[in-house]
Amino acid sequence: MLPIHHLVRGGVRAGDDYEVQHHDILVGKHGDHVGGERDALQSLLTGGADAACVLDLNWDLWRSDGTADPARVKVLTTTDPFDHCNFTVTPALAPARVDAWTRVLLSMDYDNPAHREMMDMEGLKAWLPGRTSGYAALESAAREQRFFESVTV
């Protein structure tokens, strides 16, 4: 959603200027940002697509491990930074458990090897207290693309 929103802001519209190929893997489980992006990159590398959208962390990994040759694949544009990777709970979870969970996360130290592997997998150096201010672009993209209009409850 965010790359499409970014392109709209730049005057490029899906359906008019390009066709979207979806590479949805594990949607509904926890959301996917590696397998689907890997498939999108593979489509680009094999000529099935002219462009692909991937997270910067995945691009950095694939560029460094040889999956993507930076001499053949170039970054054309980059979205504004956005918040991701959050934990959400229902009001049914006891406040004491929420507080304990929060304390554990916020106490994680990137310099601790036992913490580093998981933090690297999430692409972060520290957990930060929860906030909602980093989602304006996602909210705008959801409205613009009418993302929730097709949801039935």
Side-chain angles (χ1 to χ4, degrees), residues 116-145:
R116 182 179 292 229
E117 181 180 5
M118 188 281 304
M119 295 174 87
D120 281 344
M121 288 189 297
E122 294 301 331
L124 50 87
K125 302 280 193 265
W127 290 99
L128 300 174
R131 65 181 190 184
T132 58
S133 61
Y135 294 92
L138 184 58
E139 289 175 17
S140 180
R143 278 192 306 278
E144 176 183 280
Q145 296 169 38

Side-chain angles (χ1 to χ4, degrees), residues 10-45:
V12 181
R13 296 199 175 277
D16 294 333
D17 302 307
Y18 67 95
E19 294 300 320
V20 176
Q21 292 180 11
H22 293 276
H23 299 277
D24 299 329
I25 297 175
L26 298 176
V27 173
K29 179 177 180 185
H30 55 71
D32 175 60
H33 58 266
V34 178
E37 289 185 17
R38 187 179 298 111
D39 289 353
L41 176 65
Q42 189 61 35
S43 182
L44 173 65
L45 295 174

Side-chain angles (χ1 to χ4, degrees), residues 87-106:
F87 293 96
T88 306
V89 299
T90 71
L93 188 60
R97 293 194 70 192
V98 173
D99 292 344
W101 175 254
T102 301
R103 277 193 308 278
V104 167
L105 283 179
L106 296 179

Side-chain angles (χ1 to χ4, degrees), residues 1-14 18 53 75-82 137-138 140-141 144-145:
M1 287 175 48
L2 289 174
I4 292 171
H5 177 67
H6 176 73
L7 292 173
V8 166
R9 288 176 48 209
V12 181
R13 296 199 175 277
Y18 67 95
C53 301
V75 174
L76 299 176
T77 187
T78 303
T79 66
D80 292 334
F82 57 91
L138 184 58
S140 180
E144 176 183 280
Q145 296 169 38

Side-chain angles (χ1 to χ4, degrees), residues 47-63:
D50 295 324
C53 301
V54 300
L55 288 171
D56 56 352
L57 294 171
N58 291 337
W59 169 246
D60 291 343
L61 170 66
W62 295 331
R63 184 182 61 202

